[in-house]
Amino acid sequence: MNLFVLSESSDDKNHVSNAVGQTLEDVIASTCNATFIYPFKNDRIELLNGLQFSDAPYLRRFRHRIFKSWYTLDSLPQLGKNQNILLIIGMQPFGLLAMHALKDQLNQFDLKIGYILDGFNPNELDRSLIGNLDHLFVISAELADHMNDLGYVPTHFLPIATDVSRYGSLNPHRWIDIISYGRTNPQVHRTLQQHFYSPNQPNCKRNRVYYRSTFARGDADNLQDHISILSRLLSCSKVSLCFEASHTPRFMGYSPLLYRWFEGWAAGCTLVGKKPFGKGTADLMDWENSTINLPDSSTEWIPFLEELLKDSEWLSLNAQRNYRESLLRHDWRYRLQDLFKIVELPVPETLKLEITALTNQAQSLSIPSRAKMSSMGSVA
């Protein structure tokens, strides 16, 4: 089997949202002996950038259809004698349109697989994608059902993950009490900001640290540096705030498990916020205190969080549990194994060996039980 991975290359490659795809590509590179294909933008993109399009869905579909070959390659990859497999990875459906840079060679692949790493509206899926894919993987079980009902292309639910082997941590020295980044609950942020940093809060412990990222557009100078720095910040954090995203338009009312959960678990954080409720998410986070729901009443937020933060032993036990579960089920290596099995391809030997190493590492961890772990489950 010869695996080729085509990834959209664009000016916003360093946007922090692309961290999920970067960690996936890094794991593929280390386990699957893959050939990576990175198209670049051709002259048509300059014309596209000069045109003003409405946000109306039908106009976006028209734009993508007309300019679907806005990517090009200096040279086409050399296909092998054995089965040639093409995996196309994109954050959104239009990212998969980079496959057209392969031109006629696209039809020479024995199997073509797409993987979309974010939520999207199925009505905006370009028909040229449907006709060129044998399988499509998406991050929401309801979205997969929706796609299969439409009969476009066989679609499968494949949750995202992270590189636990590289970014996981059981760091015992956690000087950040609460970390918050990206999309969050603005009211929760204002409440925490006021409590932890206002001089008029006599009941606030001044040694508490609440860290909130302040970037506006999400562009990093270097994506790999961003991933490394954020993983380090998480490994130094006790609590990470995570809120489900069904109200965000691109998720179409669905509530999938998103990347920040996997980042936080792997880093040994206790996750606090609102659990995702999408189909299949409960099975992905079915251990004690995987996510602790914040109370609905804003007057309870500070007392609730202070109660969590003052119990160092409980936080340490929960960190170990989250890290162990990440090793056992939420590394990208498990997702790749599932993908190969679903499309009936052989699992690479290196991938098998690294999965064995993850499970052995998890089983070597001895996590003591504590009665309070169960009692806290009532608020989870």
Side-chain angles (χ1 to χ4, degrees):
M1 177 181 74
N2 304 304
L3 179 63
F4 295 82
V5 179
L6 187 147
S7 178
E8 176 192 16
S9 178
S10 62
D11 290 340
D12 62 353
K13 187 69 175 177
N14 282 334
H15 192 278
V16 296
S17 63
N18 289 316
V20 57
Q22 184 63 58
T23 54
L24 171 57
E25 290 177 28
D26 289 344
V27 171
I28 293 174
S30 71
T31 60
C32 298
N33 191 29
T35 298
F36 286 85
I37 308 168
Y38 293 104
F40 58 90
K41 291 177 180 177
N42 58 27
D43 293 340
R44 293 188 181 186
I45 198 64
E46 298 302 325
L47 176 60
L48 174 67
N49 289 336
L51 296 175
Q52 299 297 318
F53 283 88
S54 163
D55 284 336
Y58 77 93
L59 285 177
R60 288 202 297 271
R61 292 197 298 272
F62 173 78
R63 176 185 64 185
H64 298 324
R65 186 171 298 114
I66 294 300
F67 294 101
K68 61 174 173 259
S69 58
W70 60 46
Y71 291 98
T72 190
L73 291 165
D74 283 331
S75 61
L76 295 175
Q78 183 69 41
L79 302 188
K81 294 181 179 179
N82 298 320
Q83 193 176 25
N84 294 297
I85 311 301
L86 179 64
L87 173 62
I88 312 111
I89 300 172
M91 287 301 296
Q92 288 288 323
F94 60 79
L96 271 58
L97 290 172
M99 70 167 71
H100 293 295
L102 293 167
K103 300 180 180 179
D104 292 340
Q105 190 184 62
L106 183 60
N107 297 320
Q108 297 176 25
F109 287 91
D110 299 287
L111 195 67
K112 290 166 285 188
I113 305 163
Y115 191 11
I116 301 175
L117 302 174
D118 205 350
F120 65 93
N121 185 341
N123 295 325
E124 296 180 20
L125 197 66
D126 191 276
R127 297 301 184 266
S128 70
L129 295 180
I130 298 166
N132 280 294
L133 289 176
D134 299 296
H135 294 274
L136 178 65
F137 288 85
V138 296
I139 69 168
S140 161
E142 291 99 335
L143 183 56
D145 291 342
H146 189 167
M147 291 291 296
N148 286 319
D149 288 342
L150 293 172
Y152 288 161
V153 60
T155 305
H156 317 276
F157 170 43
L158 188 68
I160 50 182
T162 191
D163 188 349
V164 185
S165 178
R166 183 174 183 180
Y167 297 113
S169 175
L170 271 182
N171 177 29
H173 307 294
R174 296 179 181 261
W175 53 272
I176 299 174
D177 292 284
I178 302 173
I179 188 171
S180 174
Y181 58 99
R183 178 189 49 80
T184 189
N185 183 312
Q187 187 179 0
V188 172
H189 166 63
R190 288 192 295 270
T191 300
L192 296 182
Q193 183 80 1
Q194 175 70 13
H195 175 71
F196 287 116
Y197 294 112
S198 172
N200 299 319
Q201 294 295 329
N203 296 324
C204 172
K205 293 185 178 180
R206 292 304 166 196
N207 59 338
R208 294 269 189 240
V209 176
Y210 167 55
Y211 172 80
R212 165 66 183 163
S213 61
T214 55
F215 58 78
R217 297 187 59 188
D219 294 322
D221 292 334
N222 180 286
L223 184 60
Q224 196 64 61
D225 287 348
H226 162 76
I227 294 170
S228 298
I229 291 169
L230 179 58
S231 70
R232 180 59 179 162
L233 287 171
L234 286 167
S235 75
C236 294
S237 301
K238 300 170 186 174
V239 169
S240 179
L241 298 181
C242 298
F243 296 89
E244 70 85 21
S246 60
H247 62 282
T248 304
R250 68 179 183 277
F251 293 110
M252 302 290 292
Y254 303 139
S255 183
L257 196 54
L258 300 179
Y259 190 54
R260 67 187 63 211
W261 266 265
F262 302 108
E263 288 178 308
W265 286 329
C269 297
T270 289
L271 305 191
V272 176
K274 292 297 179 183
K275 292 182 180 180
F277 53 81
K279 179 180 177 181
T281 57
D283 293 335
L284 294 168
M285 50 191 302
D286 59 359
W287 65 93
E288 284 183 282
N289 303 305
S290 59
T291 299
I292 299 174
N293 281 329
L294 201 62
D296 292 331
S297 173
S298 61
T299 60
E300 298 180 43
W301 293 342
I302 296 301
F304 181 86
L305 289 168
E306 288 286 8
E307 184 70 19
L308 289 181
L309 291 170
K310 75 179 184 181
D311 194 337
S312 299
E313 182 184 357
W314 183 87
L315 288 168
S316 177
L317 290 170
N318 211 44
Q320 294 176 64
R321 185 189 301 273
N322 289 347
Y323 174 62
R324 183 175 187 272
E325 293 295 332
S326 297
L327 287 170
L328 286 171
R329 60 168 100 181
H330 290 320
D331 190 282
W332 273 122
R333 292 159 180 83
Y334 295 110
R335 304 297 189 259
L336 289 170
Q337 178 178 249
D338 290 342
L339 184 150
F340 286 128
K341 289 181 176 180
I342 289 170
V343 300
E344 300 181 344
L345 290 173
V347 179
E349 289 302 318
T350 301
L351 183 58
K352 292 180 183 178
L353 291 173
E354 294 197 9
I355 287 175
T356 299
L358 287 170
T359 56
N360 289 341
Q361 185 179 353
Q363 291 166 1
S364 70
L365 296 175
S366 177
I367 303 176
S369 61
R370 179 182 167 186
K372 191 169 183 180
M373 294 292 285
S374 297
S375 66
M376 288 300 295
S378 62
V379 299

